[in-house]
């Protein structure tokens, strides 16, 4: 990162110093420009002369050209670049000033890639993730910094809202809401939802708010650290101008860590504003700057304000330097030890770099995708495997694996469409949703040599509750998967000593449940158990011994009115129903088969006997195994049983009603040397949608409306019932928009269409070239409801864009059940021995920083620093700075005294890099102009060089300057 401050603005300098101190940014990363003009705008000539050219020269002079990805502009720097076409300053530094209408697209948008591997192709040779730190006051700007830093690794569970406002010209981003909500649900990290609020006024504790309105209010404490919020409006980025619209600073002042707005009229072009996917990108762990720039296709006129490094969902590694303390003395060549541990399933450590005093020195290890590794995806038991080729990248693997999954050989069975997004593969189930008892799966164990017969049973029996430990979350919680029979409440209990148990959660509906115990990190040990209410447990058994006939007697004690089965088994493996008690209560039973059995076991199960139905084998897969289809109209979770002799039956597959496609992944070494490539599914089963099907229609006229004009919509509901709604222009007056509104009103008031099987008309707006646009939306969620058919007919004076019969599935990808896969690289743990030749370093004080990178496109950095002292020569120097806070207007001394008389140069460094120097002196007293540095904490150090080339770097000490 480089921080740019306006040297002619005390506020800009103080804010830059504050940010550098909070983010531990090296002093050589601060560039001061001299700008005395407007803080609103500058010309493209001034933009280049005062910012771009000095920045590029600064990077070259400090050997940072290939190291810097982020640029922060500290307040009182113009935010608009004027010329033949206005640009924002942040966009112009991101992908170059764009004077015309060409090359406006940001190819980084939607890439889900590492920025250095996917910089915008239309950039002019440089490209930086640029954001501006600014606010209405210096104090508010410092709060912006604090909010961003406080958000890191906070993993908030508070909601972000996507608001479809009442302004039809500015609420147009609603079409992208469902896609973002779907992905956020899959990620299980963000609570992202839709709302129709016009403003967030009165709301608190938000992680985001995206709306479209010219004017609105925001409560002062609306947002939590790390929140992203913006509005689709013309002048949200005109910060210090009388635009007549609410500016993005309203979000910043309310606590948001970043916001966006345009600095000139953008026209209602959706691509010029952030897509709601910005919240999904953030949930993956991307920084705010990465998330925002990935969400904007044309950032041309848009200003980004905020703390760019803020990352609430960043998952870092544990570990670092081993047996190396601050102040350690190093000589000659020494071996240093490092180790990092991911602690997260599927999160590998891909590489580790070494930096010395903030500059890249070498890569210590690099573990890209390992050639020969095998990645396997299993969809309802159907397997597709992929071998990682040589020189593969995460993006190429995702693309090639998606293409493989889309091969008709596989999709003919899986009915799954794969779409690659960087290192992520989105999976959409495109077949019609099965009925409750109809599904297919692959039995991999069935072969031609061992044919099987099958039965399917709707599982109506009680089964004991069960749970599986899923491991710790990033913030110290513990994740569990547990379940019980449907409609059987299960209570999770926790204990730290196996003696005292406390209830922590009750799953009242029963069924499958994923739960995170957020208090787990407070205890050194944590134990869990499940229980269901006593009256829902199966009847208790009492064994009474044999009667005179040799029959074994069993007493079952159950609750009246609660049916149960008594089952027996000779081997605890195969169980048979020997008694069905439909009335519940107690029963005494003598088992007539027990007299001839050498051993006999008994158990009870609540419920009634299962209804079995035959199952058909509909095909074979190339790798072996049978494609098995179950067709049944009985609702409920199903268990499939298999047998090779039609006598001994064993369960092989369970299908839950809510499941669409069961998903499993695996990765192994294959023909590679080690397992260095990973594949993870977001969920174990596809999620169904929460979106409503809709389709957009457009109508225009050839001439003014006539009294003979009519417009008719014929709507066929999913049950086959047809409804016709028609309006005529009997008066011959009115405009097209009001005429179409009458049709929408007629649809919305038609009794046959107001139920969940009906439709609603909405979102009437002026379209292109005199047309009007509107939506018809299904009133129920999902693909089934979207199967409603709509046909329009109209008088010859009206033009309908599109003819024929339409389904309400214009948003089909949002209606299909969805899952996604993530490709990664690296290992879960890395231990390194680092040989360091200290003779290549100056004697004295150095900061060694190891940076470990996570092996997905997010590429999260984990930084571990230690300060060491190198001593290979007798050279040494004393360094002294004032220890008390000083007025920023004062001049103050800094002294350096070397222990050698052959010193030929002493250089003093601080914020901004090299400050002063003297020659041929073994001691120097520098007098520093505090006003040139500005208020804040400033790091100082000196480098002493002798005539023979020996060098010594003093320790870094800080001087605090305050405004008088």
């Amino acid at each position: 990162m480089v921080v740019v401050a306006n040297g002619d603005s005390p506020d800009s300098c103080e804010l830059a110093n504050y940010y550098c101190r909070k983010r531990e940014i090296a002093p050589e990363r601060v560039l001061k420009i001299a700008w005395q003009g407007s803080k609103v705008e500058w010309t493209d000539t001034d933009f280049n002369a005062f910012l771009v050219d000095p920045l590029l020269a600064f990077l070259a002079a400090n050997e940072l050209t290939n190291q810097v990805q982020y640029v922060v502009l500290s307040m009182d720097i113009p935010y608009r670049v004027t010329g033949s076409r206005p640009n924002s300053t942040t966009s112009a530094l991101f992908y170059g000033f764009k004077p015309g209408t060409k090359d406006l697209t940001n190819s980084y948008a939607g890439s889900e890639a590492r920025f250095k591997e996917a910089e915008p192709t239309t950039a002019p040779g440089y490209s930086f993730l640029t954001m501006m730190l600014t606010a209405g006051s210096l104090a508010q700007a410092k709060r912006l910094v604090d909010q961003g830093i406080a958000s890191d690794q906070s993993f908030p569970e508070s909601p972000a809202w996507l608001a479809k406002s009442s302004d039809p010209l500015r609420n147009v981003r609603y079409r992208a809401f469902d896609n973002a909500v779907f992905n956020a649900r899959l990620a299980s990290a963000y609570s992202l939802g839709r709302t129709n609020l016009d403003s967030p006024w009165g709301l608190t504790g938000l992680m985001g708010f995206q709306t479209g309105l010219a004017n609105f209010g925001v409560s002062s404490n609306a947002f939590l650290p790390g929140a992203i919020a913006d509005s689709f409006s013309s002048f949200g980025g005109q910060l210090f101008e009388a635009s007549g619209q609410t500016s993005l600073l309203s979000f910043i002042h309310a606590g948001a860590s970043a916001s966006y707005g345009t600095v000139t009229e953008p026209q209602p072009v959706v691509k010029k504003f952030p897509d709601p996917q910005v919240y999904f990108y953030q949930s993956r762990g991307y920084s705010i700057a990465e998330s925002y720039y990935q969400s904007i296709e044309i950032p041309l006129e848009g200003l980004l304000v905020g703390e760019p490094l803020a990352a609430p969902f960043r998952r870092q590694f544990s570990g670092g330097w081993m047996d190396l303390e601050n102040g350690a003395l190093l000589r000659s060549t020494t071996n240093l030890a490092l180790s990092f541990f991911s602690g997260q399933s599927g999160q590998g450590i891909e590489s580790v770099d070494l930096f010395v005093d903030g500059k890249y020195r070498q890569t210590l290890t690099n573990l890209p995708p390992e050639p020969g590794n095998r990645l396997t995806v299993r969809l309802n038991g159907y397997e597709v495997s992929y071998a990682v080729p040589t020189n593969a990248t995460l993006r190429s693997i995702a693309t090639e694996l998606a293409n493989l999954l889309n091969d008709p050989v596989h999709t003919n069975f899986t009915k799954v469409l794969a779409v690659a997004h960087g290192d992520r593969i989105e999976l959409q189930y495109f077949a019609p949703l099965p009925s409750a008892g109809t599904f297919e799966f692959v039995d991999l164990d069935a072969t031609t040599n061992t044919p099987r017969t099958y039965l399917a049973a709707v599982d109506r029996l009680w089964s004991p509750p069960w749970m599986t430990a899923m491991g710790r979350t990033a913030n110290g919680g513990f994740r569990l998967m547990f379940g019980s029979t449907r409609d059987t409440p299960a209570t999770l209990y926790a204990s730290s000593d196996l003696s005292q148990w406390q209830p922590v959660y009750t799953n009242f509906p029963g069924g499958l449940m994923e739960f995170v115990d957020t208090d787990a990190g407070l205890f050194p040990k944590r134990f869990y158990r499940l229980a269901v209410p006593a009256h829902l447990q199966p009847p208790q058994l009492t064994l009474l011994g044999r009667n005179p006939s040799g029959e074994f007697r069993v007493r079952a004690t159950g609750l009246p009115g609660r049916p149960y089965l008594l089952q027996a088994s000779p081997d605890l493996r195969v169980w048979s129903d020997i008694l069905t008690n439909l009335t519940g209560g107690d029963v005494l039973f003598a088992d007539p088969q027990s007299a001839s059995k050498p051993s006999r076991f008994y158990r009870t199960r609540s419920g009634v006997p299962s209804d079995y139905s035959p199952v058909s084998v509909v095909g074979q897969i190339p790798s072996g195994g049978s494609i098995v289809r179950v067709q049944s109209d009985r609702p409920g979770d199903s268990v499939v049983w298999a047998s090779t002799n039609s006598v001994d039956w064993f369960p092989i597959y369970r299908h839950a009603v809510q499941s669409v496609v069961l998903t499993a992944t695996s990765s192994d070494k294959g023909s590679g040397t080690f397992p260095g490539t990973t594949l993870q599914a977001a969920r174990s089963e596809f999620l169904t949608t929460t979106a409503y099907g809709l389709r957009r229609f457009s109508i225009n006229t050839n001439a003014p409306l006539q009294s003979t004009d009519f417009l008719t919509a014929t709507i066929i509901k999913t049950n086959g019932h047809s409804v016709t709604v028609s309006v005529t222009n009997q008066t011959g007056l009115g405009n097209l928009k009001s005429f179409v509104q009458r049709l929408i009103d007629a649809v919305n008031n038609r009794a046959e269409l107001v139920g969940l099987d009906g439709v609603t008309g909405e979102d009437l707006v002026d379209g292109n070239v005199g047309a009007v646009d509107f939506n018809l939306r299904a009133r129920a969620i999902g693909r089934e409801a979207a199967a409603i058919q709509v046909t329009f007919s109209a008088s010859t004076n009206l033009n309908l864009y599109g003819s024929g019969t339409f389904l309400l599935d214009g948003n089909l990808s949002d209606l299909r059940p969805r899952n996604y896969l993530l490709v990664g690289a690296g290992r879960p743990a890395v231990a390194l021995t680092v040989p360091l030749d200290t003779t290549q370093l100056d004697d004295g004080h150095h900061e060694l920083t190891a940076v470990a990178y996570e092996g997905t496109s997010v590429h999260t950095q984990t930084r571990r620093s230690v300060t060491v002292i190198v001593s290979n020569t007798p050279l040494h120097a004393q360094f002294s700075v004032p220890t008390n806070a000083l007025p920023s207007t004062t001049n103050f001394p800094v002294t350096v005294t070397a222990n050698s008389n052959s010193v030929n140069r002493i250089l003093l460094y601080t914020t901004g890099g090299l400050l002063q120097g003297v020659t041929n002196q073994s001691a120097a007293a520098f007098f520093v102009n505090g006003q040139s540095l500005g208020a804040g904490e400033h790091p100082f150090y000196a480098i002493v060089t002798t005539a023979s080339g020996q060098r010594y770097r003093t320790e870094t000490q800080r001087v605090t300057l305050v405004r008088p």
Side-chain angles (χ1 to χ4, degrees), residues 942-964:
I943 294 179
V944 177
T945 306
T946 66
S948 62
Q950 293 178 356
R951 290 163 57 95
Y952 184 87
R953 179 186 174 113
T954 70
E955 63 181 321
T956 298
Q957 299 185 31
R958 294 184 174 272
V959 174
T960 301
L961 302 178
V962 295
R963 291 194 186 184

Side-chain angles (χ1 to χ4, degrees), residues 713-788:
T714 300
I715 300 168
I716 302 177
K717 299 197 292 185
T718 55
N719 62 5
H721 179 62
S722 179
V723 180
T724 299
V725 179
S726 184
V727 293
T728 59
N729 191 33
Q730 296 176 348
T731 64
L733 301 176
N735 57 36
L736 178 62
K737 189 173 183 180
S738 62
F739 184 51
V740 175
Q741 182 64 60
R742 288 177 53 205
L743 177 70
I744 292 175
D745 293 341
V747 168
N748 292 344
N749 292 321
R750 188 66 173 262
E752 300 99 313
L753 299 177
V754 298
L756 288 178
D757 60 347
V759 301
T760 184
E762 58 190 13
D763 304 315
L764 178 65
V765 295
D766 292 316
N768 295 322
V769 196
V772 293
D773 299 340
F774 64 97
N775 290 328
L776 287 182
R777 175 177 60 82
R779 290 182 179 268
I781 288 171
R783 282 186 298 169
E784 291 83 356
I788 294 173

Side-chain angles (χ1 to χ4, degrees), residues 156-174:
E157 298 179 356
S158 299
W161 293 105
L162 305 174
K164 182 182 180 182
S165 75
S166 60
D167 185 342
L169 295 178
R170 296 179 175 88
N171 70 12
V172 291
R173 285 187 288 184
Y174 74 84

Side-chain angles (χ1 to χ4, degrees), residues 528-800:
Y528 302 93
R529 70 182 184 190
L530 280 176
V532 298
H535 70 279
L536 297 179
Q537 295 177 9
Q540 301 298 306
L541 285 177
T542 304
L543 304 182
L544 301 177
R546 296 186 184 274
N547 62 19
S549 302
E551 300 170 328
F552 206 87
R553 295 176 300 155
V554 178
R555 173 179 290 153
T557 304
L559 293 177
R562 186 167 179 82
Y564 59 85
L565 299 178
L566 178 62
Q567 297 180 326
S569 171
D571 55 8
L572 289 174
R573 184 172 67 89
V574 178
W575 292 87
S576 303
D577 300 340
I578 59 175
L579 172 70
T580 300
N581 181 5
L582 297 178
T583 60
D586 297 348
V587 68
L588 179 64
F589 179 78
D591 181 6
Q593 299 185 37
S594 61
S596 61
K597 302 291 184 182
S599 60
R600 193 74 159 156
F601 305 91
Y602 300 91
R603 73 180 185 189
T604 59
R605 295 192 74 190
S606 296
V608 296
S610 296
D611 296 323
Y612 292 98
S613 58
V615 182
S616 58
V617 176
V618 296
Q620 303 290 322
I621 61 174
S623 58
S626 299
I627 301 174
V628 181
R629 177 180 296 161
V630 177
Q631 290 180 294
S632 172
D633 58 1
R634 287 188 289 273
D637 293 357
S638 296
V639 176
V640 179
W641 299 71
S643 175
T644 58
N645 58 13
S646 298
V647 176
D648 296 318
W649 294 88
F650 45 93
I652 62 168
Y653 188 78
R654 182 181 179 89
H655 176 78
V657 171
Q658 77 273 21
S659 299
V660 178
V661 182
L662 298 180
T663 312
T665 60
S666 63
S667 50
D668 57 58
K669 183 174 69 172
S671 62
T673 57
F674 67 94
T677 317
T678 61
L679 186 67
Q680 293 283 321
R683 294 291 186 106
S684 60
E685 61 186 38
F686 280 42
L687 279 184
T688 53
T689 186
T690 59
Y692 295 86
L694 60 82
R695 183 169 290 277
R696 193 160 188 79
F697 298 95
S698 186
I699 300 175
N700 75 355
T701 61
N702 298 319
L705 291 178
Q706 306 296 318
S707 60
T708 55
D709 285 329
F710 68 89
L711 183 60
T712 300
T714 300
I715 300 168
I716 302 177
K717 299 197 292 185
T718 55
N719 62 5
H721 179 62
S722 179
V723 180
T724 299
V725 179
S726 184
V727 293
T728 59
N729 191 33
Q730 296 176 348
T731 64
L733 301 176
N735 57 36
L736 178 62
K737 189 173 183 180
S738 62
F739 184 51
V740 175
Q741 182 64 60
R742 288 177 53 205
L743 177 70
I744 292 175
D745 293 341
V747 168
N748 292 344
N749 292 321
R750 188 66 173 262
E752 300 99 313
L753 299 177
V754 298
L756 288 178
D757 60 347
V759 301
T760 184
E762 58 190 13
D763 304 315
L764 178 65
V765 295
D766 292 316
N768 295 322
V769 196
V772 293
D773 299 340
F774 64 97
N775 290 328
L776 287 182
R777 175 177 60 82
R779 290 182 179 268
I781 288 171
R783 282 186 298 169
E784 291 83 356
I788 294 173
Q789 302 175 56
V790 180
T791 304
F792 284 98
S793 59
S795 52
T796 57
N797 191 36
L798 299 177
N799 296 320
L800 303 171

